[in-house]
Amino acid sequence: MKVQYRDQPLDLEDIADETIADLATRCASHIGAQVERVSLFFLPKPGLTRYPFPDRRLVEFLTPATRIKLVGAPDGEVKKMEDMGAASRRSVRPENSKAVKVNKNRDWKRIQEDAMYTFHAIEPLSYLPDPEKSRRYLERLANDPGIKAAMRKHKFSVGLLTEMNPAEHTTHESKTLGLNRNAGEVIELRLRTDSYDGYRDYKVIRKTLCHELSHNVWGEHDRNFWNLTKEIEQEVDRNDTLHGGHRLSNEEFYNPGDSYDDVEHADHGGWKGGDFVLGRSEGAASDEGLSRREIMARAAMNRQRKEREAKEHAEPGSSS
């Protein structure tokens, strides 16, 4: 069994009838960490698992295509971070004392929090055009100083950050800009234009991400949700050290005509339940290997079918 840990794979012996909890304990022991401090991410399902880990048997869902990622820090590394943080605090002198040199030690507490409160996996949709460009887009969002600061403050941990297929999330009335599944198990963002020939503006998508992160806490679009969304947006803007709040025309993902319009529904609330399969919406056939034209044609047919069913359902005397 191979488990990815940081940049290295761990080669672990297969054990019959092992559970997620058993594997988590074994992985924590392997890297010298407390089991409470580690997480396991199974892609495509069941997604992110944390302590206390379930007793679900691995044979119930593992396939040859399943990828497993271990997230956590060894106890020795955690102690080193805590010791260096304490030493840094002790080095601060009263205001009336002599000036001291700038402390060149790294902020280990922040480094540890960045590793905990982050997007533990990033995956584009491989069957859409130029997936590596989508990966760069997602990585830029994940490493955005404002997003990272907001995730540290609110202790947000997201299992998978991925893109959504625009054709599967567009109707005549609205388009979905983002989805949050199971309070942060998966966040999907609408990166691409409707015609697949470009990418939406970076700051528009970043605002959508702020919206989706709020669904880690609040599922419904109530006052609590909008208050938290506004707070996250302000934190992101305040910590935007790369752009200073200004849009740069030479950015790779820049679309001056794009906007976060009120008629475009960001989402339909926090989505809960079910298994997530990367690159396929719930109940939909896979688009793997299809051309862009075929993908759009299939999506158009699905939209027409849904609209026809909705119309029939709304007509007087129609069967329910």
Side-chain angles (χ1 to χ4, degrees):
M1 177 187 299
K2 290 190 180 299
V3 177
Q4 187 70 24
Y5 178 62
R6 296 178 175 174
D7 296 328
Q8 300 294 327
L10 305 180
D11 226 341
L12 303 177
E13 178 187 359
D14 289 330
I15 297 179
D17 293 328
E18 188 172 35
T19 66
I20 295 177
D22 294 334
L23 178 60
T25 301
R26 192 152 59 107
C27 286
S29 175
H30 190 88
I31 65 171
Q34 297 294 318
V35 69
E36 295 88 350
R37 292 176 180 252
V38 303
S39 301
L40 286 174
F41 186 75
F42 299 89
L43 186 67
K45 57 181 181 179
L48 184 67
T49 60
R50 306 183 181 94
Y51 183 86
F53 295 93
D55 287 325
R56 184 179 179 184
R57 295 196 309 158
L58 299 177
V59 294
E60 294 176 6
F61 62 87
L62 283 189
T63 71
T66 301
R67 282 176 287 168
I68 308 173
K69 183 171 182 178
L70 170 66
V71 180
D75 291 344
E77 190 174 295
V78 172
K79 187 177 186 306
K80 181 179 179 181
M81 291 179 181
E82 292 173 345
D83 290 346
M84 294 190 74
S88 177
R89 289 190 294 272
R90 287 196 299 270
S91 68
V92 177
R93 300 183 180 183
E95 293 182 0
N96 58 357
S97 65
K98 292 183 179 180
V100 296
K101 295 182 179 180
V102 176
N103 192 330
K104 296 183 179 180
N105 289 333
R106 301 176 70 182
D107 188 343
W108 289 103
K109 183 175 184 294
R110 178 169 169 173
I111 293 171
Q112 181 184 9
E113 290 178 343
D114 278 341
M116 293 173 60
Y117 308 122
T118 186
F119 304 93
H120 297 296
I122 291 175
E123 294 285 346
L125 297 181
S126 60
Y127 61 86
L128 293 183
D130 203 355
E132 284 308 309
K133 188 169 184 179
S134 290
R135 183 184 296 277
R136 291 198 302 273
Y137 201 133
L138 295 169
E139 288 174 345
R140 180 178 170 188
L141 287 164
N143 292 315
D144 186 291
I147 294 294
K148 292 177 72 173
M151 293 187 75
R152 286 196 304 273
K153 178 177 179 180
H154 297 280
K155 296 180 169 53
F156 288 148
S157 179
V158 176
L160 172 66
L161 180 65
T162 186
E163 63 174 319
M164 64 168 52
N165 186 345
E168 295 178 351
H169 298 276
T170 304
T171 67
H172 289 308
E173 292 78 21
S174 67
K175 59 178 66 175
T176 303
L177 303 185
L179 290 172
N180 183 319
R181 184 180 296 264
N182 292 333
E185 177 185 312
V186 178
I187 287 182
E188 301 174 63
L189 298 174
R190 188 190 192 99
L191 304 183
R192 300 171 186 267
T193 57
D194 295 351
S195 57
Y196 297 86
D197 57 359
Y199 286 80
R200 305 199 65 190
D201 180 68
Y202 178 77
K203 286 197 172 181
V204 171
I205 305 305
R206 188 174 66 174
K207 188 171 182 178
T208 303
L209 180 54
C210 295
H211 182 116
E212 298 311 321
L213 286 172
S214 295
H215 281 310
N216 280 17
V217 181
W218 305 106
E220 301 296 327
H221 290 135
D222 57 14
R223 178 47 48 194
N224 291 322
F225 169 84
W226 290 114
N227 287 343
L228 179 56
T229 299
K230 183 178 180 180
E231 182 181 342
I232 293 173
E233 290 175 351
Q234 291 173 343
E235 289 164 356
V236 169
D237 288 339
R238 187 165 54 248
N239 290 279
D240 187 0
T241 56
L242 292 181
H243 312 122
H246 298 289
R247 193 192 308 268
L248 303 180
S249 59
N250 61 348
E251 290 179 354
E252 181 178 12
F253 305 108
Y254 173 66
N255 183 349
D258 203 3
S259 65
Y260 190 96
D261 199 304
D262 288 339
V263 301
E264 296 179 329
H265 302 292
D267 62 26
H268 303 285
W271 197 98
K272 292 187 177 182
D275 293 322
F276 174 78
V277 179
L278 183 65
R280 189 176 68 198
S281 58
E282 191 71 18
S286 173
D287 289 329
E288 189 72 38
L290 298 182
S291 68
R292 183 178 73 179
R293 188 171 184 177
E294 290 169 329
I295 293 169
M296 295 179 70
R298 172 180 285 180
M301 292 177 63
N302 288 336
R303 287 199 302 271
Q304 291 173 1
R305 176 180 55 79
K306 291 178 182 178
E307 289 168 4
R308 184 173 61 252
E309 291 174 351
K311 184 178 180 181
E312 292 173 351
H313 183 75
E315 288 177 353
S318 62
S319 59
S320 57

